[in-house]
Amino acid sequence: MTEPQLWTLAVGLLTALTAIVGFSAQTMRAMSKTVTVQMESVRELMAERFSNVDRQFEQVGLQFDQVDRRFDQVDRRLEHLDQRVGRVETRVDDIDRDVQTIAKRIFPKD
């Protein structure tokens, strides 16, 4: 092979390599854009799911608040009933004393 032929071959090889590198660069840019779009889609999906989880936590928090209020109501009701039971017990004790007093008057001990 002569020197001009070698130069022609070298220029041809460089041209082919430049085309390959250019094509590879275009492919990489296209892949990068595709990955960027997919990552943005994943970010949006995750943001939506986290938003849903946040709403669920808020709902659970509201339900806990409702349960707490209900427990407070039940507790107040139990306190009220306990007071009523105490008054009834006192009244029963009073009646028992009255019955014993009457019984002593009717059936005095000798």
Side-chain angles (χ1 to χ4, degrees):
M1 218 175 235
T2 65
E3 188 176 332
Q5 289 175 329
L6 287 174
W7 279 108
T8 303
L9 180 63
V11 168
L13 287 174
L14 278 173
T15 303
L17 284 174
T18 302
I20 290 171
V21 168
F23 179 73
S24 295
Q26 284 180 333
T27 302
M28 291 303 288
R29 279 192 293 275
M31 286 175 61
S32 175
K33 286 179 184 178
T34 302
V35 168
T36 301
V37 168
Q38 289 175 346
M39 287 302 295
E40 186 60 32
S41 176
V42 167
R43 275 190 214 109
E44 289 172 1
L45 179 64
M46 293 304 291
E48 180 181 335
R49 287 190 180 171
F50 279 121
S51 176
N52 290 340
V53 168
D54 283 344
R55 279 193 296 274
Q56 289 172 348
F57 272 120
E58 288 173 9
Q59 291 172 352
V60 168
L62 292 174
Q63 289 172 346
F64 274 120
D65 291 343
Q66 290 173 346
V67 168
D68 283 343
R69 283 192 299 275
R70 185 67 180 134
F71 273 124
D72 289 343
Q73 291 172 350
V74 168
D75 192 40
R76 284 191 302 274
R77 183 72 178 140
L78 287 174
E79 287 175 12
H80 176 73
L81 290 173
D82 190 41
Q83 291 171 359
R84 288 181 68 187
V85 166
R87 288 192 301 267
V88 168
E89 287 174 343
T90 301
R91 184 71 181 127
V92 167
D93 290 343
D94 292 345
I95 292 170
D96 186 46
R97 274 193 304 276
D98 291 345
V99 168
Q100 288 177 10
T101 302
I102 293 169
K104 286 179 185 178
R105 287 183 187 164
I106 295 174
F107 307 106
K109 287 187 178 180
D110 295 329

